[in-house]
Amino acid sequence: MEFLGTTQTANYCGPKKACGFRALPPAVPAPVIQECYQPYYLPGYRYLNSWRPSLFYKVSSAQTCQGEGATSHSALTPPTILPSLRSTLFCRYNPRDWDQCNQQQMRGAEAVRQWAGRVRGDCLRLMHDKEQLTHQMQEGACRNLAQRLSDIGFWKSELSYELERLLSESRSLDTVKKRLECAADEVNCPLQVALECLYHREKRIGIDLVHDNVEKNLIQEVDLLKCCQEQMRKLAQRIDIQMRDNRDAQHALEKDLEDKNSAHFIDDKCLNLRNTSDCITFFHGVEKVDGSVSVPETWAKFSNDNIRHSQNTRADSIRLREEAASLFETLSDQMWKQFTDTNLAFTARIAEVMDVKNKLQTQLAKTLQEIFQAENTAMLLEKSIMAKECPLKVAQTRLECRTWRPNVELCRDPPQFKLLNEVFTIDDTLQTLKLRLRETQNTLQLLLTTKCRLEHELAIKASSLCIDRQCMGMRKTFPSTPRLVGYT
């Protein structure tokens, strides 16, 4: 470097003393750059640049100057310089270098300022864009949450409506089941009456122990009542199974509705969260956790399947209730018809027995009258026989006396013929009367036997009539139609 305004023989142009400074630092020293800022990503924005610029600090290295023989000095302590040489130390650069250095500094400062302005503008635009993007994403999330709440509300209303209908159907089905059980128990009374009627009719005697229409109707009534009981109990068992299916569907609906309520509460809480809310905080890594078990399609299909299953179960329940109503109507009509037929058979049988009994009583009265007449006839015959004995004795005595006539006087004269004829006639009359008497006595014995038989038959008929009337007394009451269909 050339120093202007001095001579080459000046004392300050001599050889330089040793100095620790090997070279002056350049006008713009090369900086040693060290990175001092680590970017921090906010949750959910790992792929976006941070809002802070990439700032770096510059560190310059400088060497201290040490004198000869000196051990150590402070890095900022300048060497000892005489006052006469101070002006020479500050005139080592010419003005052009000084101007160039200043221009270079100004250009560098202008470039850095422009770069800082561009960075600042880019940062402002970035912040504005990201603010708009964040606002739009937050609004989109709010819209999605609102739509999700609307979907949850829709399915909640559908599930609540279906659950209410299913509960109502279950209550109706339980009522039908109780009616079936009550109706089956109510049949026990007429069934017991019918069986007792059969047992009582077994007490009939003799020919009256007949398999008549009454017995046939009683057997049919017993079979019908047992069959009705069996049908009611089987239908009650089917209804019990259906009620278990209803409870399963109800549990599925209640569980789904409970989950919907929980999800609605959580999403509503999420929708009401704002940037100024107190309960918001960072949850690092929560975006990496995916505990989803469904997608919107399967989510909606799950509730739809629950509702369809409940509807199918409810339809089966309705069919069972309709079947029970039809069964009630059919069985009550059949039981009442059979009860009426049996009572009509009892009435007809009682009337028939009464008619036969009346006829037997008439025959008995006639038989008794005939016995009385036969006894009178026998008595008259006996008297007539006794009345004929004396004339016979007279005629025979006359004949015997005439046998004592002597010799030729023993003549067969007309008196002899008359006496003989009289004896034969009276004797024949006696034989005839005795024969009639025996016939009358036999007839009287037959009449007495008939009388005993008629009295026995009348006793049998009276016993049968008493039994049938007793049975009719037991059958005066029969459960009414409301009781037969389960109403108490």
Side-chain angles (χ1 to χ4, degrees):
M1 179 182 297
E2 182 180 1
F3 294 93
L4 299 178
T6 61
T7 62
Q8 296 295 327
T9 59
N11 54 5
Y12 57 79
C13 290
K16 298 180 179 179
K17 294 180 182 181
C19 181
F21 291 102
R22 293 185 178 87
L24 292 175
V28 181
V32 178
I33 301 172
Q34 294 183 0
E35 202 174 275
C36 66
Y37 174 73
Q38 295 296 330
Y40 178 75
Y41 297 115
L42 292 174
Y45 300 93
R46 73 166 77 93
Y47 301 111
L48 299 178
N49 290 328
S50 174
W51 60 275
R52 298 182 61 184
S54 300
L55 298 179
F56 303 93
Y57 61 87
K58 301 176 183 180
V59 179
S60 301
S61 61
Q63 296 180 354
T64 60
C65 180
Q66 297 179 356
E68 293 179 357
T71 60
S72 173
H73 294 281
S74 175
L76 299 178
T77 304
T80 303
I81 302 174
L82 295 175
S84 60
L85 298 177
R86 185 177 299 171
S87 62
T88 61
L89 294 177
F90 292 99
C91 298
R92 293 180 181 178
Y93 298 97
N94 57 22
R96 185 172 58 84
D97 294 334
W98 183 78
D99 291 335
Q100 289 177 357
C101 180
N102 290 333
Q103 291 296 328
Q104 186 178 0
Q105 292 292 339
M106 286 186 290
R107 284 193 300 271
E110 183 68 21
V112 171
R113 187 180 59 79
Q114 290 178 359
W115 169 253
R118 286 193 298 270
V119 170
R120 180 171 49 82
D122 291 340
C123 291
L124 292 175
R125 285 192 300 271
L126 178 63
M127 287 188 294
H128 180 71
D129 294 341
K130 297 306 178 181
E131 179 67 22
Q132 289 184 347
L133 178 61
T134 303
H135 183 69
Q136 290 175 1
M137 293 176 65
Q138 202 170 55
E139 285 186 348
C142 290
R143 285 194 301 271
N144 291 334
L145 284 173
Q147 181 63 36
R148 182 65 172 177
L149 286 174
S150 177
D151 295 340
I152 293 175
F154 169 76
W155 285 112
K156 278 179 59 180
S157 62
E158 292 294 323
L159 288 170
S160 299
Y161 177 71
E162 181 59 32
L163 179 60
E164 182 180 356
R165 297 185 66 183
L166 182 61
L167 290 175
S168 177
E169 180 60 33
S170 296
R171 288 191 294 268
S172 300
L173 193 62
D174 184 60
T175 302
V176 171
K177 178 189 173 185
K178 292 180 180 178
R179 285 177 57 193
L180 284 169
E181 292 174 350
C182 290
D185 294 336
E186 194 67 32
V187 173
N188 287 329
C189 181
L191 178 60
Q192 186 67 27
V193 170
L195 290 174
E196 287 183 3
C197 289
L198 285 173
Y199 297 152
H200 280 296
R201 286 178 61 82
E202 291 296 323
K203 298 176 183 178
R204 292 174 298 171
I205 306 171
I207 194 62
D208 275 12
L209 192 61
V210 62
H211 186 60
D212 52 3
N213 289 329
V214 176
E215 188 170 354
K216 292 178 182 178
N217 280 278
L218 282 174
I219 293 174
Q220 290 178 2
E221 183 175 343
V222 170
D223 293 339
L224 177 62
L225 292 175
K226 289 183 178 179
C227 180
C228 292
Q229 270 190 334
E230 186 67 21
Q231 291 182 11
M232 290 178 183
R233 285 169 180 166
K234 285 184 178 179
L235 187 57
Q237 292 176 357
R238 290 173 56 194
I239 289 177
D240 188 60
I241 296 173
Q242 182 62 41
M243 288 184 66
R244 288 200 294 268
D245 295 339
N246 287 5
R247 285 192 291 271
D248 292 340
Q250 175 186 345
H251 176 72
L253 290 176
E254 289 176 346
K255 179 63 177 175
D256 196 1
L257 187 59
E258 181 182 358
D259 294 343
K260 292 289 186 297
N261 287 327
S262 300
H264 190 278
F265 174 77
I266 293 172
D267 287 346
D268 184 66
K269 180 180 178 181
C270 293
L271 180 63
N272 292 324
L273 287 177
R274 297 293 182 267
N275 295 332
T276 57
S277 299
D278 295 334
C279 58
I280 59 175
T281 184
F282 291 113
F283 293 93
H284 301 295
V286 69
E287 68 279 359
K288 298 179 182 179
V289 178
D290 187 9
S292 302
V293 296
S294 65
V295 295
E297 291 76 11
T298 57
W299 174 79
K301 185 177 181 296
F302 179 76
S303 297
N304 190 30
D305 290 343
N306 286 335
I307 292 175
R308 286 187 179 276
H309 176 63
S310 174
Q311 289 174 347
N312 294 333
T313 304
R314 192 158 44 82
D316 295 339
S317 177
I318 291 173
R319 282 194 293 270
L320 275 179
R321 285 198 298 112
E322 292 175 351
E323 182 179 350
S326 176
L327 184 66
F328 278 137
E329 183 178 359
T330 303
L331 295 184
S332 63
D333 290 343
Q334 290 179 356
M335 286 188 286
W336 264 106
K337 183 178 180 301
Q338 185 60 45
F339 177 76
T340 304
D341 292 342
T342 305
N343 286 345
L344 291 176
F346 263 112
T347 303
R349 183 63 178 174
I350 289 173
E352 185 179 1
V353 173
M354 282 293 296
D355 182 62
V356 173
K357 181 182 177 184
N358 292 333
K359 291 180 179 179
L360 289 174
Q361 287 177 345
T362 303
Q363 290 295 326
L364 180 60
K366 291 180 179 180
T367 302
L368 291 175
Q369 183 66 28
E370 192 65 30
I371 289 173
F372 178 72
Q373 293 177 1
E375 288 177 350
N376 290 334
T377 302
M379 185 177 61
L380 292 174
L381 286 173
E382 289 176 353
K383 289 180 180 180
S384 178
I385 290 172
M386 292 177 64
K388 295 298 187 288
E389 289 179 353
C390 292
L392 181 60
K393 290 178 180 180
V394 170
Q396 288 180 351
T397 302
R398 286 176 178 177
L399 285 175
E400 197 277 331
C401 288
R402 284 178 64 88
T403 60
W404 293 98
R405 290 177 298 172
N407 299 320
V408 76
E409 292 298 325
L410 193 61
C411 178
R412 299 181 65 87
D413 51 1
Q416 185 70 23
F417 284 107
K418 288 292 184 179
L419 287 173
L420 289 173
N421 188 21
E422 183 181 2
V423 170
F424 284 119
T425 302
I426 292 173
D427 186 61
D428 183 64
T429 301
L430 286 174
Q431 295 300 322
T432 302
L433 289 174
K434 289 179 181 180
L435 178 63
R436 293 298 178 184
L437 179 59
R438 286 194 298 270
E439 290 178 356
T440 302
Q441 289 176 346
N442 291 335
T443 303
L444 181 60
Q445 188 65 34
L446 182 61
L447 288 172
L448 291 174
T449 304
T450 303
K451 171 181 169 289
C452 292
R453 189 171 62 249
L454 288 175
E455 289 176 348
H456 180 68
E457 287 295 325
L458 283 172
I460 291 175
K461 296 298 182 289
S463 175
S464 300
L465 192 62
C466 180
I467 290 173
D468 288 344
R469 284 177 175 173
Q470 185 179 0
C471 292
M472 282 298 293
M474 296 167 57
R475 296 176 61 86
K476 284 183 179 179
T477 58
F478 190 78
S480 60
T481 301
R483 297 180 68 87
L484 287 177
V485 296
Y487 293 110
T488 57

